Amino acid sequence: DWSFPYEYKYGYEGGQGLLNKRFEINDKQHHELRELRINLKKCFNTLNCYLMPHPGLRVCTSPEFDGKLRDIEADFKMYVKKFVEAQFNPNLIVKQINGREITTLELFEY
């Protein structure tokens, strides 16, 4: 539920910008924070972030919400569709952590 599309756009483009910002390293940071960022980056071949709009107030505030698509904001549905399409592109690669391919169960545990 990314609430600031004026700072970073929805989708992978904005997500990558946010991720880059969060992983910035500078001399003013505590040593442990710098090391944490460095070590996290080393654990993965690639890191991606996908920013999503809010699904709508009816989804999260109405006790009557029963999952009907008509109650979900159009922007949210559009970005879910784009995200799913991107996950199943022909260039899909097996996820790795520390250079080892992982199973879906292991990914869920992480």
Side-chain angles (χ1 to χ4, degrees):
D1 298 348
W2 181 246
S3 300
F4 311 103
Y6 49 87
E7 290 180 7
Y8 296 100
K9 295 178 183 180
Y10 297 132
Y12 279 116
E13 180 184 343
Q16 195 60 45
L18 178 63
L19 198 60
N20 290 344
K21 180 70 174 168
R22 298 291 165 102
F23 274 91
E24 278 182 358
I25 297 171
N26 63 56
D27 294 334
K28 295 179 181 178
Q29 292 169 329
H30 189 276
H31 171 73
E32 289 179 5
L33 292 176
R34 287 194 308 266
E35 287 298 313
L36 177 64
R37 286 169 171 80
I38 290 167
N39 290 330
L40 275 173
K41 280 183 171 181
K42 286 180 184 178
C43 289
F44 302 94
N45 290 338
T46 58
L47 286 173
N48 295 313
C49 177
Y50 190 88
L51 300 178
M52 292 285 298
H54 193 280
L57 292 178
R58 180 140 173 102
V59 171
C60 53
T61 62
S62 174
E64 287 86 35
F65 177 69
D66 59 2
K68 289 193 173 67
L69 290 176
R70 70 173 178 250
D71 295 330
I72 301 172
E73 293 291 325
D75 272 357
F76 182 84
K77 290 186 281 191
M78 179 185 67
Y79 279 97
V80 166
K81 183 178 185 293
K82 288 180 178 185
F83 177 77
V84 170
E85 288 171 351
Q87 299 316 299
F88 295 101
N89 70 37
N91 301 322
L92 185 65
I93 57 172
V94 177
K95 302 296 182 218
Q96 295 184 357
I97 297 179
N98 287 329
R100 186 179 69 79
E101 290 183 357
I102 60 170
T103 66
T104 52
L105 182 58
E106 290 172 319
L107 181 61
F108 180 74
E109 289 175 4
Y110 279 101

